[in-house]
């Protein structure tokens, strides 16, 4: 099975989200390895932050990686639909 790498800006252990993250990470481990890559948060104006974070993330990617961006304004998937998508992406690439 292929590993899943989660690239996050800042810390992954926001106190409000810690238990939810841990439960979800446990589920993801059933599909294979899970690796966290935490990149430092950059304090500045919002557009400069966005550009710096994008550059930082792109430097960590390989050519055949599948990149999944999660955004509260994006398409909402239930757990089953997301798991199905994740399986499809993992079949397409070396890393997700």
């Amino acid at each position: 099975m292929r590993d899943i790498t989660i690239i996050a800006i800042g810390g992954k252990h926001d106190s409000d989200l810690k238990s939810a993250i841990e439960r979800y990470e446990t589920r993801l481990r059933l599909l294979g390895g899970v690796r966290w890559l935490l990149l430092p948060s950059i304090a500045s104006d919002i557009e400069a932050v966005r550009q710096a974070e994008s550059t930082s993330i792109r430097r960590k990617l390989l050519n055949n990686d599948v990149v999944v961006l999660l955004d509260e304004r994006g398409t909402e998937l239930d757990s089953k639909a997301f798991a199905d998508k994740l399986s499809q992406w993992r079949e397409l690439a070396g890393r997700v």
Side-chain angles (χ1 to χ4, degrees):
M1 290 194 181
R2 297 184 171 118
D3 287 350
I4 296 171
T5 300
I6 300 169
I7 301 175
I9 303 297
K12 71 173 183 175
H13 293 297
D14 178 338
S15 61
D16 294 336
L17 299 175
K18 185 175 180 179
S19 65
I21 290 170
E22 289 172 353
R23 281 194 314 273
Y24 198 72
E25 187 174 350
T26 299
R27 290 180 189 171
L28 286 175
R29 288 194 187 285
L30 297 174
L31 300 173
V34 176
R35 182 174 70 107
W36 281 88
L37 182 56
L38 300 176
L39 304 177
S41 182
I42 301 158
S44 185
D45 71 88
I46 191 69
E47 189 54 37
V49 168
R50 200 173 284 142
Q51 290 297 319
E53 289 174 349
S54 295
T55 298
S56 183
I57 289 170
R58 280 194 308 270
R59 287 183 183 144
K60 302 295 181 184
L61 301 175
L62 300 177
N63 287 337
N64 66 337
D65 286 349
V66 171
V67 177
V68 180
L69 301 175
L70 303 179
D71 187 299
E72 65 273 6
R73 296 165 295 188
T75 302
E76 188 172 327
L77 301 174
D78 63 23
S79 293
K80 170 81 170 92
F82 186 70
D84 291 344
K85 278 289 202 190
L86 188 56
S87 292
Q88 291 171 6
W89 293 324
R90 292 181 78 212
E91 292 299 318
L92 292 174
R95 300 188 316 168
V96 175

